[in-house]
Amino acid sequence: VSRPAWLINPLILANQPTILFGAPSGGKSTFGLILACLCSLGSCDTNYHFDVSSKPLRIMYLDWETDRGVIEWQLQCIRKGLGIELNLPIFYRRCSIPLADDIDQINNAVMEYRADAVWIDSLGLAAGGDLNSPESALPFFSALRTINKTPFILAHTSKGSENTDKHIFGSVFFEAAARNIWEIVKTQDDENSIIVGLYHKKPPPFAKIHNPLGYKIDFTDDVTTFEYQDPKSVEELLSRMTASTKIFEVLKDGKKTPK
């Protein structure tokens, strides 16, 4: 029996639903498109603190939120930042009704384009209905299983929870059915860049919680660049980590009194 595979270890589990959730305008779509580009490119020598599958993948991007022009512009900017001249096998499909109600047409599109994975942007509109009800979550995941391709799902965060205890907005079944869950948190670095922190909320049953990750994304004219940023070096991101991590970072500067 072989160990379960990853598309991007530890961010996207192969053949099982992974959810990346965060606040509105929190960098989810941009970061998700960066990951789509890396998956479609295949194994590459990076310093991103994650490992990309060696096989180039064909991605189907199912979009309930924006339009083809926006997504294709973002992909072009990311490709330039990665130094990729050729188009990548990322196929766009505009969606307007819940996944479960459109599943036959979506399955046909996945087969037509021979997609290896589907990106879903985003969970709320793709599920439809009352998100706090199991009757929204259960049909969504039942339909998702019929696609039988790796799903990577973008979702929004719940309201009113503590700063370090955020959850996916809606029914608990959204978290229960996902096999791997990450939260994304954005801090504004300057007018041309953002820094995002990634916090592992639910690991697969065969893995443990991964340490937080951080990335700086620069937007310059028609180029989007992406590099690793130690999340412990950013005060807003460090504030969301465990007390022991915060104490360790303080003690790096030298001895301190208990107070």
Side-chain angles (χ1 to χ4, degrees):
V1 178
S2 59
R3 185 177 179 84
W6 297 84
L7 299 194
I8 298 181
N9 186 0
L11 296 178
I12 303 178
L13 185 64
N15 304 316
Q16 303 291 333
T18 292
I19 296 180
L20 175 70
F21 76 96
S25 301
K28 297 185 298 297
S29 292
T30 298
F31 191 76
L33 287 170
I34 290 170
L35 296 183
C37 286
L38 293 173
C39 282
S40 62
L41 183 63
S43 180
C44 48
D45 185 17
T46 71
N47 294 313
Y48 299 146
H49 289 237
F50 54 63
D51 296 319
V52 181
S53 168
S54 59
K55 175 187 175 183
L57 302 176
R58 298 168 68 86
I59 308 294
M60 169 77 65
Y61 196 92
L62 303 177
D63 177 26
W64 277 263
E65 293 207 345
T66 54
D67 59 37
R68 182 186 298 273
V70 171
I71 297 301
E72 290 187 347
W73 170 256
Q74 287 182 280
L75 287 171
Q76 177 177 293
C77 295
I78 294 166
R79 286 201 311 270
K80 288 183 178 180
L82 293 172
I84 303 168
E85 295 184 2
L86 299 176
N87 287 335
L88 295 170
I90 299 173
F91 308 99
Y92 177 89
R93 187 181 190 275
R94 182 184 176 94
C95 301
S96 58
I97 60 177
L99 177 77
D101 297 333
D102 199 22
I103 192 60
D104 290 339
Q105 294 300 317
I106 288 175
N107 271 322
N108 288 339
V110 168
M111 288 188 289
E112 178 184 352
Y113 290 110
R114 294 178 288 115
D116 301 298
V118 293
W119 261 230
I120 294 176
D121 188 4
S122 63
L123 176 61
L125 292 172
D130 178 6
L131 296 183
N132 289 307
S133 168
E135 280 128 18
S136 178
L138 298 180
F140 170 81
F141 281 103
S142 293
L144 195 64
R145 285 185 67 84
T146 72
I147 298 175
N148 200 27
K149 304 294 180 182
T150 296
F152 178 66
I153 306 161
L154 304 177
H156 291 92
T157 188
S158 59
K159 294 182 178 179
S161 53
E162 294 297 326
N163 185 48
T164 57
D165 189 30
K166 296 288 188 179
H167 295 275
I168 299 166
F169 182 83
S171 167
V172 68
F173 283 99
F174 287 122
E175 295 190 0
R179 300 294 89 192
N180 193 41
I181 300 176
W182 286 81
E183 180 187 10
I184 185 169
V185 177
K186 181 184 81 171
T187 66
Q188 193 71 38
D189 191 38
D190 57 46
E191 61 182 12
N192 295 318
S193 65
I194 61 173
I195 295 174
V196 296
L198 301 180
Y199 301 88
H200 206 186
K201 295 295 187 175
K202 177 182 177 179
F206 59 86
K208 63 180 181 179
I209 289 285
H210 197 278
N211 291 331
L213 299 169
Y215 299 92
K216 183 177 182 181
I217 304 172
D218 285 301
F219 307 93
T220 306
D221 296 327
D222 60 349
V223 178
T224 299
T225 57
F226 168 71
E227 63 182 0
Y228 180 76
Q229 172 88 45
D230 184 354
K232 296 191 294 295
S233 68
V234 182
E235 184 175 350
E236 295 92 333
L237 301 183
L238 178 62
S239 69
R240 300 174 61 88
M241 298 183 196
T242 63
S244 59
T245 300
K246 297 175 191 175
I247 292 169
F248 184 81
E249 287 303 304
V250 169
L251 292 176
K252 281 184 176 179
D253 295 331
K255 295 179 179 180
K256 301 288 190 296
T257 64
K259 184 177 179 179

